[in-house]
Amino acid sequence: WKTRKIRVSGVNIVPMGANNDLPGDVQRLLDNFYGGEGIMGKIQGLQWGEGPRFFEEAIDSENNRFYRKWILDDVIQADLESWDYRDYMLRRLVDLVHMQGFWVKFIRNRGPRIGEDGRIIRLEHIPYRKCRFEYPDDRHDLPQNVYVGDWPFPDPDRLAKYPVFNPADPFRHPVSVGYFNIYSFCRDFVSTPRFLGAFPWLELAGTIAPLLAAYNANASALSLHIESPQAYWDAAEDRIREICKRKGVPYSARMLEEFKDEAMEKFASGVTGRENVGKYMHTTRFWDADANDFQGWTITPIDKKIRDYIESQIKIANKADAAATSGFGLDPVLSNLIMDNKLSSGSEKLYSIKVYNASETAIPDMILCKPLMHYIRANYPGSRTQVGLYRSVVESEQSVSPANRMKENI
């Protein structure tokens, strides 16, 4: 599915996943994994920081380094706020964190129809699952069109076709769609989630809770070994034969089997099920002279090694948690997961945040802001204003003046 095309509703498209529903697979997987969306929320928060801000690139001549000089641009700010660009960017960030890419609709004004200057009036976010590339024809190496619909099984009557946005000619089409992504190794057209290799572990982690719930509900089903005395059933058979003789009904072996089933169901109902935990049952034993031994009902608990079973499942769950955080690319210290019942110290979290900001934010920041930069460059040619995500520098409490420490401001 990485390179081949498939035909859906009469259109050759680039599939997403082996079943053309990779976004749906990711959604179902994270819905079943208890920590999935919690970890994704952490990543989104770390990436977002305090949100988008304007800046210009500058050089610190004394230290010979580049840095961002944060600025205010009232004209561009008012323009972007007219179509709520912050909400649009946040939606894109959610898709980027989950799928390593996102889809954007570029909407142009009507001016070029009458010879006036073109202008992009707004950008719109398209949910990731709704878009598929049309497979490129023999004349092109890259897709030229995007189909928007309810994939993977779209209604042909509601399937919309849009040209791919071209930043070199932004006003060519009234409406175009762009795909912006972090390139995935050996993937030709669309990226895959960075935790693709952790899918089996995430599926396993999602099954442990239902497994233990089912085990608890049925734990007593095979927990007892009941031994009944043969003399009890011989006496029951004699009574049934006597009753049949009085009523003039022929005796059959099936009558005894039905009596056994009914008797065992009543017996078992008193010793099985969670509602009967703590109850007891009284039985009697009698001396059998022929066997030279006591006979009676015997109930023997079966050692199912519950402790070993539960501990093994917990170890599997911990391994799944570790695999999940590794696949998501987030230090367990920053996730919502507690590994091996160990809480991380404040210094560990502080160090992890600094490492994350230094190594995991630059590329997503560039991809996330790229459509907005196309918007600014097209509508405000010559402007030096750029857009980036602003993040405050996290300092340890001992580096903050006493009056400004967190405990003094709560």
Side-chain angles (χ1 to χ4, degrees), residues 57 217 264 301 365 367:
E57 288 188 341
M264 289 306 300
D365 191 327
I367 301 300

Side-chain angles (χ1 to χ4, degrees), residues 102-142:
F102 54 85
W103 301 85
V104 178
K105 184 183 291 185
F106 292 79
I107 302 176
R108 191 204 66 193
N109 65 344
R110 299 180 180 180
R113 295 182 180 181
I114 56 176
E116 294 184 358
D117 293 336
R119 179 180 177 81
I120 300 175
I121 57 176
R122 70 179 183 276
L123 307 181
E124 289 184 2
H125 165 258
I126 308 176
Y128 197 91
R129 63 180 177 83
K130 287 183 172 291
C131 295
R132 297 291 188 276
F133 273 129
E134 181 182 25
Y135 197 86
D137 55 31
D138 296 337
R139 297 173 299 169
H140 301 92
D141 295 328
L142 297 176

Side-chain angles (χ1 to χ4, degrees), residues 105-318:
K105 184 183 291 185
F106 292 79
I107 302 176
R108 191 204 66 193
N109 65 344
R110 299 180 180 180
R113 295 182 180 181
I114 56 176
E116 294 184 358
D117 293 336
R119 179 180 177 81
I120 300 175
I121 57 176
R122 70 179 183 276
L123 307 181
E124 289 184 2
H125 165 258
I126 308 176
Y128 197 91
R129 63 180 177 83
K130 287 183 172 291
C131 295
R132 297 291 188 276
F133 273 129
E134 181 182 25
Y135 197 86
D137 55 31
D138 296 337
R139 297 173 299 169
H140 301 92
D141 295 328
L142 297 176
Q144 302 299 304
N145 298 292
V146 177
Y147 284 90
V148 179
D150 291 325
W151 297 96
F153 306 109
D155 182 352
D157 295 332
R158 304 184 66 178
L159 196 61
K161 179 180 179 180
Y162 297 100
V164 172
F165 174 75
N166 182 6
D169 191 3
F171 308 130
R172 181 176 181 179
H173 304 288
V175 181
S176 56
V177 172
Y179 175 65
F180 300 87
N181 64 311
I182 299 174
Y183 168 71
S184 294
F185 179 66
C186 286
R187 302 299 197 270
D188 286 346
F189 304 118
V190 294
S191 297
T192 56
R194 65 186 303 177
F195 53 93
L196 185 64
F199 274 21
W201 281 108
L202 294 176
E203 291 176 356
L204 179 62
T207 62
I208 290 176
L211 176 66
L212 294 179
Y215 180 87
N216 289 337
N218 301 283
S220 57
L222 295 176
S223 61
L224 302 174
H225 178 203
I226 301 174
E227 298 176 81
S228 60
Q230 182 60 39
Y232 177 86
W233 305 115
D234 293 341
E237 184 179 11
D238 292 341
R239 289 195 301 271
I240 296 174
R241 287 181 181 274
E242 185 179 343
I243 294 173
C244 289
K245 185 177 180 179
R246 287 201 306 265
K247 293 185 176 182
V249 178
Y251 170 80
S252 66
R254 182 178 178 182
M255 294 180 179
L256 178 61
E257 294 302 319
E258 291 177 350
F259 173 79
K260 285 183 178 181
D261 291 341
E262 183 179 355
M264 289 306 300
E265 287 178 3
K266 291 181 179 179
F267 186 87
S269 65
V271 294
T272 59
R274 287 182 294 178
E275 66 276 6
N276 291 317
V277 173
K279 293 183 179 180
Y280 65 90
M281 174 172 288
H282 172 261
T283 63
T284 59
R285 304 181 71 190
F286 62 93
W287 177 260
D288 186 345
D290 295 335
N292 195 31
D293 194 6
F294 284 99
Q295 289 197 27
W297 291 86
T298 302
I299 303 174
T300 305
I302 299 175
D303 184 7
K304 295 183 289 184
K305 300 186 182 302
I306 296 176
R307 180 177 178 180
D308 294 342
Y309 177 77
I310 298 298
E311 287 181 351
S312 66
Q313 293 300 322
I314 291 175
K315 289 181 180 179
I316 293 174
N318 289 338

